[in-house]
Amino acid sequence: MRREAFAVPPGIYLDGNSLGLQPHAAHARVQQRLAEWGEQAALGWDDWFGLAERLSPAIARLVGAHPDEVIATGSITSNLHALVGTLYRPEGRRRHIVATALDFPTDLYALAAWAERGGGELRLIPSRDGHTLHDDDLQAAFTDEVALVLLPTVLYRSGQLLDVAGLTAAAQRAGALIGWDAAHTIGALPHAFHEHGADFAVWCHYKYVNAGPGAPGGLYLHRRHHHLTPALPGWWGNDKGSQFEMAPGYLKASGAAAYQMGTPPILSLAALEGALSVFEDLEMTAVRERSLQLTDLLIRLADEHLPELQLVTPREHARRGGHVSFAHPEAHALSLALRARQIVPDYREPDVLRLAPVALYTRPEELETLVQVLRGLLDSGGHLQHQRVAGAVT
Ligand SMILES: Cc1ncc(COP(=O)(O)O)c(C=O)c1O
């Protein structure tokens, strides 16, 4: 849809859900900010000062929120600490935190620390098949002992998409607060966090938003929580009008911007600024439609030509995110062999090959080539044997 907007490395890139390709606009913005630093030094802060806040309308559009409900800052991990530290209020029997056994580990590390502090447990919703979550198990976890729930919009390994609207309502009916880790959906499909009433969300911008390695993360906090004082305050979350009065008392900024802590990384924000501009005239429904066409094609080709691969991503559109995952005992060797042929997949322990055809830059023909190459690799088992040995050394 926008391939010409990206620097595309040689070969076939299917790892955009780990690190998105570099938009030319991101490169240009970083160059611009570097030049400003060179020419203006500290005077550059006149313009850089409100940069993160100026990106909020574009980010809000991607997550379905009001601009004052989002801010680019920190990382998923630090934002989770800041938001959970603020919102989690254990009381009486209601003191546990719920997440899932298939969550990205950093989320669990952060949640476990807060649950322990609050005298609660981190309760993990189990998976029946090791890849996906069953709706009954999700619903069953929302009891009157739960203070806070965090769920992934899409599971990072299998690519299962959860029902944000339905689960938000269910958790809140049970009296819990609910937040979402949207790392694998922002930039890939439409969101409506405010309309669905989600309490909070966190995400990164280095995957489908293409803002570069270690790009600043993002957070959303529903307006109903804006009266709270952040648990981890810092001077950059102070009210902008009085920040440089350097008063000893913290006067929080209004809205999500209060969850910034220290000085923002301007060069990284510049890359985000450029990356967001690629989405300016794109409807997220159209991005999602294209993404589904690509993942449909990949699943159909795999069904036809790669019966040995076990599809672990749900087939239904309503339960499928932006990537497709296959389990295979030789997944690691396959991923190394693909890389040796300039095809970049992603591998997740212990046996999952993750493939992300990205709506903005992947071409259908690339998926056809991928499937042909995989067929050839599976037919020549010896190649894989060799790759395993080579992979063990590197
Ligand atoms: C679902 C999910 N959560 C969290 C992270 C990482 O968090 P952070 O941005 O703090 O490194 C990732 C990284 O890929 C992820 O996929």
Side-chain angles (χ1 to χ4, degrees), residues 110-292:
L111 295 173
W114 287 100
E116 193 184 332
R117 237 171 234 231
E121 294 163 8
L122 174 58
R123 295 184 171 170
L124 300 185
I125 299 167
S127 166
R128 300 181 187 192
D129 61 2
H131 297 291
T132 57
L133 298 167
H134 195 285
D135 201 47
D136 292 348
D137 298 332
L138 287 156
Q139 302 283 348
F142 306 153
T143 69
D144 62 2
E145 296 187 340
V146 176
L148 186 141
V149 176
L150 179 82
L151 295 175
T153 49
V154 156
L155 273 59
Y156 78 99
R157 217 189 258 118
S158 68
Q160 179 188 2
L161 172 66
L162 299 186
D163 169 13
V164 175
L167 292 165
T168 296
Q172 291 175 342
R173 264 198 310 277
L177 296 172
I178 178 161
W180 292 91
D181 178 339
H184 286 271
T185 48
I186 182 166
L189 50 87
H191 298 71
F193 283 137
H194 180 87
E195 186 190 322
H196 295 148
D199 292 288
F200 70 101
V202 290
W203 59 86
C204 57
H205 291 115
Y206 44 74
K207 298 178 189 291
Y208 296 100
V209 180
N210 315 302
L219 64 85
Y220 149 87
L221 182 66
H222 194 283
R223 281 178 173 172
R224 74 173 80 92
H225 300 301
H226 287 191
H227 63 286
L228 297 171
T229 299
L232 308 180
W235 79 309
W236 219 269
N238 198 85
D239 170 59
K240 280 277 164 280
S242 61
Q243 181 175 340
F244 276 90
E245 288 173 13
M246 304 305 220
Y250 169 72
L251 176 64
K252 83 177 183 63
S254 61
Y259 290 79
Q260 296 171 92
M261 291 181 209
T263 311
I266 295 301
L267 298 179
S268 299
L269 276 178
L272 174 59
E273 192 181 10
L276 287 168
S277 72
V278 178
F279 287 89
E280 246 162 39
D281 58 347
L282 281 176
E283 285 304 325
M284 287 313 295
T285 45
V287 172
R288 172 64 168 162
E289 201 177 308
R290 170 75 174 175
S291 163
L292 283 171

Side-chain angles (χ1 to χ4, degrees), residues 75-77 104 106-107 181 183-184 206-207:
S75 63
I76 290 180
T77 314
F104 196 89
T106 203
D107 294 12
D181 178 339
H184 286 271
Y206 44 74
K207 298 178 189 291

